[in-house]
Amino acid sequence: MIPRIQSEKGKLALIAILTSIACFLTYYFHVALRSGTVVTHFYYVPAILASLWWRRKGLLVAIFLAAFLIFSHHYLRLDVVTANDYFRALMLIVITLVTVTLSERIAKSQQVLQERSHDLGKRVKELNCLYGISHLIEKPDICLEDIFQGTVDLVPASWQYPEITCARINLLEGQDFKTDNFAETIWKQAVHIAVAGDRIGTLEVYYLEQKPESDEGPFLREERNLLNVIAERLAEIAMRTRATEQLSVLLESLPISLYSCKASEDFGITYFSSSVERITGYSPGHFIEDATFWARHVHPDDRDRVLAELPAQLMRDKHRLEYRFRIADGSYIWFVDTWRVARLPDGTMSHVVGIWQDITEEKRIAREAEYRLQQIVQTDRLASLGKVVAGVAHEINNPNSFITYNIPLLEETWQIFEPILTDYAASHPEWRKSDMTIDEFCQDMSEIIQAIKIGSERINRVVSNLKDFARLDETPYAKPVQVNEVIEKTLSIVGSQVSKYVTRPELNLAGNLPEIQGHAQKLEQVVANLVVNAVYAIPDKETGRLSITTRYIERLKSVLIEIEDNGSGMKTGVVERIFEPFFTTRRDAGGTGLGLSVSYGLIQEHNGIIGVLSRPGLGTRFTVFLPVDRDTKLDLRPSIFCVDDDVGFLSDLKMYFLDIKDMSFETTSDPDSVMAYLEEHPEVDIVLADIMMPGINGWELLEKIKARFSLLPVILYTGYPSALKEKPYGGPEPDHLLQKPFRMEQMLEFINTIGRQRL
């Protein structure tokens, strides 16, 4: 560890002191004691410090000390072999040169990192611009004109000098779309917008002030590339918009749930194609004969929004709505309702023509795609970090090895000279240098050496963890592993740490667990990390509880390890980041933030999954899923489980949650099967239950669930106010209690505040 001295005077003072002491000791040994001992080992300290602080200028200290060594040889030690002192002087300069080289390489690496950070910033600005354009396109009912205007508003922020940048799209049709600060200047970039080879307009970017010359005037080459990409994107949008308009006209003549309705009053439907009966189970007559039929079957949570938008959208000629519609069997399906206004020659509105399309499956696929994308992003992030970490570990380990090898030599040398300095201090108590006595200097020097030693050892530990994370070690072939033996062996190692936080851990290890194919030592490391993290979160030993459970899930063909504590728990934001390398909430207590990230990677090596469910103030449960067949790839998502004997209400709930991203939803009307289902489906992280059910009521079910799964959130609801008063005395409290009728958004709000299991 390099002493943290900020001022140049302080550095000069320390180097001067160390150099003087080295020279003085040499003189003292050779003249005062008439000894042949050479103290060149102590020369390395000022030489290395100077080279680290001042790089090549630090060589002057090494050259001075080497010259002094040669001088002492010729004038103080004429009877000693010349080659020895010349060799020591040469080694001093060589080691200093090595230190200078390492210091310069570190400085260059920092410069490269800054340059790459700048490049990354540019890429982020470009991606933000392109994402903004994509976001514009996704807006329902946005027209081409709004897309063009939105694009020119997004462009300036992506250029090098956004505060003096303006943009314009100039269409051949005579339309202009430009920023509020637009003005033509001589500093300009432009590109044509062409559709199918035909130019339809120009995209222009101007600087309002002169700036230094770059790749293209004051503009960067990357800005030219981005301009070309935006122009191509706009051309695609224009072409697709035109094609969509043509296609909408064609669809009016196709018998696929086409309809027409009034353009005023109650928007009563005047025509519906016969295919609507195949989709909804209702004949066209139901819609035509009853003017309120369509509105009454729109989902209650969508109805107000849809009806409010209809009058306002008439002036835009075309519109697109997505909403849920109750079909004949009582369930809801998603429709996209696209329509446009048909006008008479004089411009007055005649009627509305539109098309219905069932998009229930598309909704499901979109949610699945989003979930897969998040998995890919997480995997790619950890893979990229692994490569970076491998390089960092290598670069750190090389110079630290040099420090590690020389620390014992430095300690031994200091042990030789410290008594000498102490004796000298006793006989010369008046000696001072920069208001420091020799005793104070000796104490500081010992602390510096110990600090260097401690720092080097910490670097070695961090590098070792980095190697584990990057998986630099040679991985042996997988072998049969008995998970219960892994648990028992791990507890024998970390048992002393565990006993400081809990009286005794609860072990619920299932018998006759099948063996898995894996690496016992790596799994021991994972279990040790999870157990130690769990006990660190327990504030009170007397009430602290640590539970370790193993079981086999036949449905998943996997062995589960559940490690649960009743500690302080974690907030949702912390849970989302706990597997990120270097993220830790225990930095002040010595945490490196690598334990869980390493564990995540090791479980992935076994084709497993590591999940976490945490409740602030209640505790945390880590669940490790290990497939028995290592070639099996597990695919799990957090799931909500609803228990209700009202099949119609279950259908409404399920359809509502289809619209919620990343949310899986399962239901049952059989309360007696709940506990067995939860045992076989550990991905369930929230239970919804009606209080009034035959056979078992919600309060009894709540007690059973909390007895087995204490951290599992349970939300109870009922349509009978009297049922709320029937809670057994002393029984567990539900996490939330709702009374029917309630809005689905209210339940979703409760779910969002609870937090979900991360898998």
Side-chain angles (χ1 to χ4, degrees):
M1 182 181 295
I2 304 173
R4 294 183 177 178
I5 301 176
Q6 300 296 328
S7 67
E8 289 298 317
K9 290 183 179 180
K11 294 177 181 178
L12 286 170
L14 181 59
I15 294 299
I17 291 172
L18 295 175
T19 303
S20 300
I21 291 175
C23 296
F24 171 78
L25 291 177
T26 301
Y27 176 83
Y28 181 79
F29 271 80
H30 296 168
V31 177
L33 300 180
R34 298 296 180 179
S35 170
T37 302
V38 179
V39 291
T40 53
H41 293 125
F42 194 69
Y43 285 21
Y44 293 133
V45 177
I48 290 176
L49 284 177
S51 61
L52 289 173
W53 281 335
W54 303 313
R55 301 196 180 104
R56 297 190 181 185
K57 292 181 181 180
L59 284 171
L60 296 175
V61 176
I63 294 172
F64 170 77
L65 291 171
F68 183 84
L69 180 63
I70 302 303
F71 171 84
S72 66
H73 168 80
H74 286 288
Y75 293 94
L76 303 177
R77 305 171 62 240
L78 297 177
D79 57 333
V80 179
V81 179
T82 302
N84 291 341
D85 282 346
Y86 275 87
F87 178 76
R88 293 186 177 97
L90 178 62
M91 284 301 298
L92 177 63
I93 294 176
V94 168
I95 291 175
T96 305
L97 279 172
V98 170
T99 306
V100 169
T101 302
L102 290 174
S103 180
E104 289 179 344
R105 286 186 178 180
I106 293 173
K108 289 180 180 178
S109 298
Q110 292 174 340
Q111 181 180 0
V112 170
L113 180 60
Q114 292 175 350
E115 293 174 355
R116 291 184 178 178
S117 298
H118 179 266
D119 291 340
L120 180 60
K122 289 294 296 178
R123 300 293 84 73
V124 169
K125 291 169 67 176
E126 294 171 4
L127 290 174
N128 283 339
C129 179
L130 296 176
Y131 173 79
I133 295 173
S134 298
H135 184 66
L136 281 175
I137 301 169
E138 293 173 357
K139 289 184 177 179
D141 302 317
I142 191 168
C143 60
L144 188 59
E145 290 77 10
D146 290 341
I147 293 176
F148 282 160
Q149 184 59 53
T151 299
V152 297
D153 291 336
L154 288 168
V155 164
S158 302
W159 259 245
Q160 188 175 9
Y161 307 106
E163 66 280 358
I164 61 165
T165 304
C166 60
R168 175 176 69 178
I169 293 178
N170 183 13
L171 298 181
L172 297 181
E173 300 173 354
Q175 290 180 290
D176 271 358
F177 306 91
K178 52 192 177 184
T179 55
D180 294 336
N181 65 337
F182 179 81
E184 292 191 25
T185 66
I186 61 173
W187 305 289
K188 168 186 175 182
Q189 272 186 319
V191 63
H192 294 319
I193 303 173
V195 175
D198 297 329
R199 177 188 168 197
I200 65 170
T202 305
L203 173 60
E204 302 168 341
V205 177
Y206 293 87
Y207 277 162
L208 301 177
E209 299 175 9
Q210 185 175 4
K211 287 297 179 181
E213 289 290 312
S214 185
D215 301 320
E216 182 182 335
F219 300 98
L220 300 174
R221 180 171 54 255
E222 291 83 358
E223 292 169 343
R224 162 58 65 184
N225 295 336
L226 177 59
L227 196 66
N228 293 336
V229 172
I230 294 174
E232 293 175 2
R233 187 73 171 128
L234 291 176
E236 293 174 1
I237 294 169
M239 182 170 59
R240 185 167 65 247
T241 302
R242 292 179 177 179
T244 300
E245 292 174 351
Q246 296 171 358
L247 183 61
S248 64
V249 175
L250 293 174
L251 287 176
E252 292 178 11
S253 61
L254 298 177
I256 51 170
S257 297
L258 289 173
Y259 71 90
S260 64
C261 67
K262 299 175 183 178
S264 59
E265 299 176 359
D266 57 0
F267 296 92
I269 295 176
T270 57
Y271 168 78
F272 229 126
S273 63
S274 58
S275 59
V276 71
E277 187 170 2
R278 174 176 51 85
I279 299 175
T280 66
Y282 296 118
S283 67
H286 285 86
F287 295 88
I288 298 171
E289 296 167 5
D290 183 355
T292 63
F293 183 83
W294 168 80
R296 286 190 288 106
H297 284 70
V298 174
H299 195 286
D301 291 340
D302 298 333
R303 187 180 301 140
D304 292 342
R305 170 180 60 84
V306 172
L307 295 179
E309 289 186 15
L310 287 177
Q313 298 298 331
L314 279 177
M315 302 306 298
R316 300 188 63 181
D317 285 349
K318 56 184 179 180
H319 189 55
R320 184 178 186 273
L321 282 172
E322 291 184 4
Y323 52 84
R324 288 158 290 184
F325 187 88
R326 190 175 75 247
I327 60 177
D329 65 2
S331 64
Y332 285 90
I333 61 176
W334 275 98
F335 278 112
V336 57
D337 187 351
T338 306
W339 54 262
R340 62 184 303 165
V341 177
R343 296 182 179 272
L344 298 174
D346 61 359
T348 59
M349 292 183 291
S350 171
H351 59 281
V352 174
V353 294
I355 180 174
W356 259 14
Q357 182 182 357
D358 180 1
I359 59 169
T360 305
E361 182 65 15
E362 284 82 348
K363 285 282 187 180
R364 186 193 66 79
I365 293 174
R367 291 193 308 275
E368 187 71 21
E370 177 68 18
Y371 178 73
R372 299 298 179 198
L373 177 61
Q374 294 303 319
Q375 285 186 322
I376 293 171
V377 169
Q378 177 71 4
T379 302
D380 183 66
R381 175 195 286 182
L382 291 173
S384 299
L385 283 171
K387 295 178 182 178
V388 173
V389 163
V392 171
H394 179 74
E395 292 297 327
I396 293 175
N397 197 46
N398 286 341
N400 189 58
S401 297
F402 173 81
I403 297 173
T404 303
Y405 295 150
N406 282 280
I407 286 175
L409 187 59
L410 181 61
E411 286 184 308
E412 184 178 346
T413 303
W414 179 243
Q415 290 173 0
I416 295 175
F417 296 126
E418 187 175 13
I420 299 173
L421 289 176
T422 303
D423 293 343
Y424 183 81
S427 59
H428 298 79
E430 73 285 353
W431 189 92
R432 292 284 190 283
K433 188 67 176 181
S434 298
D435 295 329
M436 288 182 62
T437 65
I438 293 179
D439 290 337
E440 291 173 339
F441 171 77
C442 290
Q443 182 179 356
D444 287 353
M445 195 62 198
S446 298
E447 292 176 356
I448 289 173
I449 293 175
Q450 286 303 311
I452 294 173
K453 185 176 182 180
I454 293 172
S456 178
E457 291 173 350
R458 181 169 175 80
I459 291 173
N460 282 333
R461 289 196 301 271
V462 172
V463 168
S464 177
N465 284 337
L466 288 173
K467 288 181 177 180
D468 287 337
F469 175 72
R471 289 185 280 281
L472 298 175
D473 57 330
E474 292 295 329
T475 303
Y477 291 109
K479 299 178 180 179
V481 176
Q482 177 53 251
V483 172
N484 285 349
E485 293 179 2
V486 169
I487 302 292
E488 293 168 352
K489 184 176 180 181
T490 303
L491 288 179
S492 68
I493 297 173
V494 301
S496 59
Q497 289 179 272
V498 173
S499 62
K500 296 178 182 178
Y501 298 91
V502 294
T503 304
R504 186 174 182 178
E506 301 175 10
L507 294 182
N508 301 295
L509 307 183
N512 300 320
L513 285 179
E515 293 181 333
I516 67 167
Q517 294 296 316
H519 309 282
Q521 291 182 343
K522 293 182 178 181
L523 292 178
E524 289 169 8
Q525 181 180 354
V526 172
V527 174
N529 284 336
L530 297 181
V531 168
V532 171
N533 276 328
V535 296
Y536 282 163
I538 296 175
D540 183 15
K541 180 176 181 179
E542 296 301 322
T543 59
R545 182 178 64 85
L546 173 67
S547 171
I548 303 176
T549 303
T550 61
R551 54 195 175 103
Y552 177 67
I553 304 296
E554 177 65 31
R555 179 179 67 91
L556 302 176
K557 305 296 184 185
S558 299
V559 173
L560 262 65
I561 305 174
E562 294 174 322
I563 299 176
E564 182 176 320
D565 64 75
N566 65 342
S568 55
M570 296 177 286
K571 295 181 179 179
T572 302
V574 175
V575 172
E576 292 300 320
R577 299 188 60 193
I578 56 172
F579 295 124
E580 292 182 9
F582 305 110
F583 175 78
T584 178
T585 58
R586 299 181 57 255
R587 184 77 62 189
D588 295 339
T592 62
L594 289 172
L596 288 177
S597 60
V598 170
S599 299
Y600 180 91
L602 295 178
I603 294 303
Q604 279 201 325
E605 282 187 17
H606 291 74
N607 263 354
I609 295 176
I610 181 170
V612 56
L613 174 64
S614 190
R615 306 285 306 280
L618 298 178
T620 302
R621 182 186 73 201
F622 280 90
T623 306
V624 178
F625 300 78
L626 297 170
V628 173
D629 184 357
R630 197 172 182 182
D631 294 331
T632 301
K633 187 68 175 179
L634 295 177
D635 184 13
L636 295 174
R637 298 175 58 187
S639 179
I640 298 175
F641 186 51
C642 185
V643 188
D644 199 321
D645 60 326
D646 185 345
V647 178
F649 184 70
L650 288 179
S651 177
D652 290 346
L653 279 177
K654 193 164 188 177
M655 284 305 305
Y656 175 78
F657 283 106
L658 281 175
D659 190 37
I660 308 302
K661 181 173 62 176
D662 291 343
M663 196 165 286
S664 175
F665 194 87
E666 299 297 334
T667 61
T668 183
S669 57
D670 180 12
D672 295 331
S673 65
V674 172
M675 296 308 297
Y677 184 91
L678 293 178
E679 290 286 352
E680 283 294 312
H681 295 78
E683 68 272 21
V684 171
D685 59 358
I686 294 177
V687 175
L688 312 176
D690 189 7
I691 294 180
M692 301 298 291
M693 293 184 293
I696 182 174
N697 63 41
W699 298 114
E700 295 171 346
L701 183 61
L702 170 67
E703 188 170 359
K704 286 186 176 182
I705 293 175
K706 290 295 185 179
R708 173 62 181 88
F709 306 100
S710 59
L711 295 181
L712 187 61
V714 178
I715 299 176
L716 297 182
Y717 58 85
T718 183
Y720 301 94
S722 59
L724 301 176
K725 303 177 182 179
E726 296 177 0
K727 176 182 176 298
Y729 178 77
E733 294 287 343
D735 292 272
H736 283 293
L737 194 60
L738 295 173
Q739 182 174 343
K740 293 181 180 178
F742 56 82
R743 293 181 61 83
M744 295 299 182
E745 287 83 357
Q746 186 180 3
M747 177 176 287
L748 179 61
E749 182 180 349
F750 288 149
I751 290 173
N752 289 336
T753 58
I754 291 173
R756 305 297 306 278
Q757 179 176 206
R758 178 178 177 181
L759 288 175

